[in-house]
Amino acid sequence: MSPDSRATLRGVVERVTFHTEETGYCILKVRPEKGGGGELVTVLGNTPRVVPGEEIEARGAWVQNAEYGRQFKAEHMKLARPKSLDGLVHYLGSGLIEGIGSKYAKRIVDKFGTEVFDIIENTSARLQEVEGIGKKRRTEIRDSWMKQKAVHSIMVFLHEQGISTSRALRIYKTYGEEAVQVLQQNPYRLAADIHGVGFKTADSIAAQMGMAKDAPPRIRAGILYALDEASGSGHTCLPRPLLLENAAKMLDAALELVELQLEGLLAAAEVVQEHIGGEERVFLATLHHAEKRVAMRLRTLLERPATHPPMDEDKAIAWCQQKTGLALAESQQRAVKEALRQRMLIITGGPGVGKTTIVNTVLTILRAKKVRTVLAAPTGRAAQRLGESTGLEARTLHRLLEYQGEGVWGRNQNKRLDGDLFVIDECSMVDTQLMSRLLDALPEEAHLLLVGDADQLPSVGAGAVLHDCISSDVVPVVKLTEIFRQAAQSRIITAAHSINHGLMPDLKPSAEADFFFLERNSGEEIQQTIVQLMKERLPARYGFDPAKDIQVLCPMNRQLLGTRAFNEVLQDALNAGHEMQFEVERFGIKYRAGDKVIQTRNNYDKGVFNGDIGHIRTVESEPVKITVAFDDLLVEYEPGELDELQLAYAITIHKSQGSEFPCVIIPLAMAQFIMLERSLIYTAVTRGRRLVIVVGEQKALGTAVRNGEGRRRYTGLRERLGKG
DNA sequence: GGTCGGCC
């Protein structure tokens, strides 16, 4: 809204056409104070409570609605008690006050006039002077009125602090009549209690309320915020000196002051400090609890020998190979035996090392021995793949643990899961809190098989569970390196290995190679080269279908080399559309038949999962309907469901985790500096089965490859598992 | 130099 379109409207609320307490949204008919020929105008806005007869002062702008004509859209509205007698009758008789209808409203106003509020509040006994009002009704009127007044004064107070109506409503709903008190005592409680209010908002409210920069509640909130921020980038804790430094900088406060308040938080058990790995580390209480639970449960598991049915392992493996027709290599057989012997085992390794074959063999053998198996994975897509590759039911961890939203888990230490062997795939994506939920719900006698690639991108949430378990040296691990899927001389594989060791991969061009680096030193050149590769060079040379076989993987969404820009140019280049073709536009993105799309959240009704890639088969009009083919599965989308889809000519490397493609193209430049990290490049390169091409700046590739430990996550799990 | 991502 431009500043000159702002306007102020004053008048009397004649009618409340619509009002919902849920959001406070309202549509009012207002008689303006002056001018306008006394004609009613429509006002749209937000307020917790509005009563006909009230005087309104609204700030906002006039807008034109196609259906309803000119309306006043209020950003802010202030309502006040009516002053005129007519208004008073209207107001009191609106149902606002229990015990007063339109009849009594008239009688009361006739009797007391504008002093009516004073009478109700201070000398309510006088209400009994009105015919028909006894003691009971008089008390009812007074109580009801005082409650209304409290709500009103809270809203006025919040508005005075510069808090918007919708936020004020949420605050009022959370704290009720104590809202003002809560805010005056500690506005930082808002950050903890109100969704959508963070430290920064609370801090600016506190500043407006006149709270000093070095006030203890402010410093404490800042420390908690610094830890919360850290958990957002994957740390379950921070070394004490780093935490103090971060918090002091953000709060613009003295280090000693921060240190003092940290002691207060420790005493209040809101944070926990522990001496780990030769230094003091500070945790948020919740993460500390989760990490300790993980360590404790894992150590209990590890103390017990496996209790699988006794068997001759070699015979069992031979039987299984015969049954399935799959021949196991020596390294795979060793992994299977370990899994049969251990209470808990981690199987880790990159793509193509045969993790799936090992899991299948273990499952086949143990199921033949009547062992009850349970399969799960952290993402819907990974669960679906696990289910397909084993032919058994596999669920997301959230579904397995019967997650009900809002922190409620149906399965926990009081209601444990059923099963003898739990197989969790794609464990690199499991964070500390989810792992602690799983271990809590695991039966005492359960066996646990964790499968994943520790070199891939770390979990979204805080922690590095798989990493920490492996490096603790106390959890049995089978690390697979022998490649079965690709040819051993594959440059993709050797490049992936180099990257993992922090070395620049071999970039010398060779006609036989399946890994290429094309040096381009400007964003425009990189983009042009990739479009050309996809449209002309790769289909001509290798016979790839651009939309089906080739996947562009970007480090970022934004910028010239991000997914958004690539999707736009690649859609233009590969599927330009024509005049006769019906297309649907949504949020600036056009969807046409032939487009490559990706599903962005799990949809169990449709049977598609976050990360599934498909192609638009048809786009129909009247009614608008888009049909997408995911392999053999045809899925229909209504216009309102299109937010579940995005164009997928280019996707982020993060989103590609867990998928593979015949050909992968990776744009890489220093402009993506912030993202350049070893695990990112490793993940991208290992997505390609037959051909991987990196296009961009050699310096960017070098930066990424070297940046391995730079982004280490602060956790305490490794040490907890190790000793002490 | 300023970012990505899961689940219900």
Side-chain angles (χ1 to χ4, degrees), chain A residues 58-119:
Chain A
R59 273 187 294 123
W62 290 99
V63 294
Q64 194 66 32
N65 182 293
E67 210 174 321
Y68 302 106
R70 209 163 104 98
Q71 299 180 318
F72 191 83
K73 208 166 173 188
E75 290 237 303
H76 230 81
M77 53 169 72
K78 210 160 97 185
L79 291 151
R81 281 182 220 158
K83 291 190 196 85
S84 72
L85 293 181
D86 263 3
L88 278 174
V89 174
H90 216 50
Y91 178 77
L92 289 175
S94 65
L96 169 75
I97 302 171
E98 286 159 49
I100 306 184
S102 56
K103 223 182 229 165
Y104 279 114
K106 175 120 181 55
R107 283 190 205 169
I108 292 171
V109 173
D110 280 349
K111 177 109 194 148
F112 302 115
T114 51
E115 277 165 56
V116 59
F117 302 112
D118 187 45
I119 303 273

Side-chain angles (χ1 to χ4, degrees), chain A residues 641-655:
Chain A
E641 298 173 319
L642 284 180
D643 53 345
E644 293 187 16
L645 288 179
Q646 272 171 21
L647 287 179
Y649 296 101
I651 62 173
T652 60
I653 297 168
H654 278 84
K655 271 234 171 286

Side-chain angles (χ1 to χ4, degrees), chain A residues 521-533:
Chain A
N521 287 304
S522 80
E524 288 77 9
E525 276 181 285
I526 296 172
Q527 199 186 61
Q528 276 169 19
T529 304
I530 289 177
V531 172
Q532 215 178 57
L533 279 170

Side-chain angles (χ1 to χ4, degrees), chain A residues 618-636:
Chain A
T618 52
V619 180
E620 293 166 57
S621 58
E622 293 169 61
V624 175
K625 192 176 84 183
I626 291 187
T627 306
V628 179
F630 294 93
D631 291 327
D632 299 333
L633 180 71
L634 288 181
V635 181
E636 294 178 352

Side-chain angles (χ1 to χ4, degrees), chain A residues 547 567 570-572 574-576 581 583 589-597 614-617 619 628 647-649:
Chain A
N567 275 323
L570 289 171
Q571 186 187 38
D572 272 355
L574 301 170
N575 192 27
Q581 189 178 12
E583 59 182 38
I589 294 166
K590 297 185 178 79
Y591 296 90
R592 305 181 181 120
D595 273 333
K596 184 182 195 178
V597 290
H615 295 84
I616 297 181
R617 193 56 82 73
V619 180
V628 179
L647 287 179
Y649 296 101

Side-chain angles (χ1 to χ4, degrees), chain A residues 536-646:
Chain A
E536 293 149 23
R537 290 167 65 182
L538 296 179
R541 165 108 194 252
Y542 298 88
F544 286 133
D545 176 331
K548 293 215 163 69
D549 301 327
I550 308 172
Q551 185 61 55
V552 175
L553 298 181
C554 305
M556 295 187 182
N557 284 314
R558 290 184 231 179
Q559 297 185 2
L560 182 64
L561 298 179
T563 59
R564 280 176 220 160
F566 267 114
N567 275 323
E568 212 178 304
V569 295
L570 289 171
Q571 186 187 38
D572 272 355
L574 301 170
N575 192 27
H578 47 83
E579 267 178 45
M580 299 302 289
Q581 189 178 12
F582 183 67
E583 59 182 38
V584 174
E585 189 173 336
R586 187 119 184 126
F587 304 122
I589 294 166
K590 297 185 178 79
Y591 296 90
R592 305 181 181 120
D595 273 333
K596 184 182 195 178
V597 290
I598 183 168
Q599 172 79 18
T600 56
R601 56 173 179 260
N602 295 344
N603 188 325
Y604 291 88
D605 293 335
K606 293 192 196 295
V608 286
F609 299 92
N610 192 351
D612 284 350
I613 289 176
H615 295 84
I616 297 181
R617 193 56 82 73
T618 52
V619 180
E620 293 166 57
S621 58
E622 293 169 61
V624 175
K625 192 176 84 183
I626 291 187
T627 306
V628 179
F630 294 93
D631 291 327
D632 299 333
L633 180 71
L634 288 181
V635 181
E636 294 178 352
Y637 294 80
E638 289 171 22
E641 298 173 319
L642 284 180
D643 53 345
E644 293 187 16
L645 288 179
Q646 272 171 21

